[in-house]
Amino acid sequence: MWYQEMFHANKPVIGMVHLQALPTDPKYDSKGGMKKIIKMAREDLNSLQNGGVNGILFCNEFSIPYTKKINGAVIAAFAEIIGELKKDIKLPFGITCASSVKATFDIACATGADFVRAHYHGANAGVYGINDYDPGDIERYRYYIGCGNVKVLTAVIQEGTRQIAERSLEEVTKTLTFNINPDALLIYSSTPGSAIDINQVKKVKSVTTTPVFASNGVTPETIGKILQYVDGCIVGTGVKYNGNFYQQVDINRVKSLMNNAKNYE
């Protein structure tokens, strides 16, 4: 499978580097500036790589509250950070720009990313209002800017939302894989940081051969159970100090996570 070749692991564990708030974001630290953001990102990157993960995913996680109107300053800052870190990145890496799939591909194209995590389809409602995606437009944009070979990981149902037109997971999976044919499907929990529902994984895998990854709720304590059912996973908050979203990555938690995942390598 493509993911085994890319990440050199039977069931890859992708560690997240949560970027601090970027210029124009409400929580941006103008005093620390880009130097502070890059320094903190490098520390998290090194902790993840030295802790043994198989891949890296960069996200502007601290741009909360997120907006669909991503401006050029955010895209430029994101790309600058990756450029500064490029010499330190030893693993396959991916990009996700919160709330904007096109900005995600812009950054992936500029930085030479191997994969993206992006929302691609459906009409959902949640705390950020209504999200209505146009897969045909997104795919055409992806190929237009030269990202046709970049692997795409996309959610079956977006985190923290409900479908406007309720359909079963099986039906959503079938139409998603037929129309878009993503490289991997992501299973989210209903709220950030909580464990995924293994029954959802079983339902999705019952109707597709597309790889299925857990996209949140992965911790050193839960990874063993989760990897029994999925083909890989993405971990962010679960390997931070005390499992706290606002902390940085704890290399000891990363090592514990990977130790508990070793039976699936």
Side-chain angles (χ1 to χ4, degrees):
M1 296 294 287
W2 72 265
Y3 60 89
Q4 295 168 332
E5 294 178 2
M6 177 179 288
F7 297 106
H8 304 291
N10 185 43
K11 294 193 174 187
V13 177
I14 300 170
M16 292 195 71
V17 173
H18 289 169
L19 303 181
Q20 296 298 304
L22 302 176
T24 73
D25 289 336
K27 295 178 174 60
Y28 174 62
D29 179 0
S30 58
K31 184 177 181 180
M34 289 295 292
K35 287 185 178 180
K36 180 180 178 181
I37 297 171
I38 293 167
K39 176 180 180 293
M40 294 177 73
R42 179 174 284 113
E43 289 171 355
D44 283 351
L45 171 64
N46 290 337
S47 293
L48 289 166
Q49 291 187 144
N50 293 333
V53 300
N54 309 117
I56 302 293
L57 176 62
F58 295 94
C59 178
N60 58 323
E61 203 80 16
F62 286 99
S63 290
I64 50 178
Y66 304 126
T67 177
K68 301 169 190 173
K69 299 177 181 179
I70 304 296
N71 60 50
V74 169
I75 295 174
F78 202 138
E80 180 186 353
I81 294 164
I82 304 304
E84 289 290 331
L85 298 178
K86 206 68 180 290
K87 66 181 182 299
D88 301 309
I89 300 173
K90 301 178 177 65
L91 298 171
F93 76 93
I95 300 293
T96 181
C97 185
S99 296
S100 177
V101 60
K102 287 187 176 180
T104 294
F105 280 121
D106 288 339
I107 299 163
C109 179
T111 60
D114 301 290
F115 64 97
V116 299
R117 182 185 70 174
H119 297 307
Y120 237 75
H121 72 107
N124 305 294
V127 70
Y128 288 104
I130 295 174
N131 296 309
D132 182 10
Y133 298 95
D134 183 341
D137 178 58
I138 294 169
E139 275 290 82
R140 284 165 176 78
Y141 185 78
R142 172 192 173 198
Y143 279 87
Y144 172 72
I145 65 170
C147 281
N149 292 326
V150 174
K151 299 298 183 183
V152 173
L153 287 63
T154 193
V156 180
I157 303 294
Q158 190 174 340
E159 180 186 45
T161 67
R162 289 186 179 275
Q163 303 172 76
I164 293 177
E166 286 287 350
R167 296 185 298 153
S168 69
L169 275 174
E170 293 91 340
E171 184 181 350
V172 173
T173 301
K174 287 179 181 179
T175 55
L176 168 58
T177 53
F178 177 80
N179 284 286
I180 302 174
N181 191 30
D183 297 289
L185 300 172
L186 302 175
I187 302 296
Y188 282 85
S189 59
S190 57
T191 57
S194 60
I196 63 169
D197 184 348
I198 296 300
N199 288 326
Q200 291 187 354
V201 176
K202 292 178 179 179
K203 288 179 181 179
V204 170
K205 290 184 76 69
S206 72
V207 295
T208 185
T209 58
T210 302
V212 177
F213 282 42
S215 196
N216 65 351
V218 179
T219 69
E221 296 76 25
T222 63
I223 191 168
K225 179 180 180 181
I226 290 173
L227 287 183
Q228 292 179 48
Y229 300 97
V230 299
D231 301 298
C233 66
I234 298 172
V235 58
T237 302
V239 290
K240 292 187 174 186
Y241 285 97
N242 301 314
N244 186 316
F245 175 73
Y246 291 99
Q247 298 296 316
Q248 287 196 260
V249 173
D250 178 355
I251 189 172
N252 291 321
R253 285 184 67 82
V254 180
K255 289 179 177 179
S256 176
L257 179 94
M258 296 310 298
N259 183 63
N260 293 339
K262 64 184 179 182
N263 291 333
Y264 305 94
E265 293 179 349

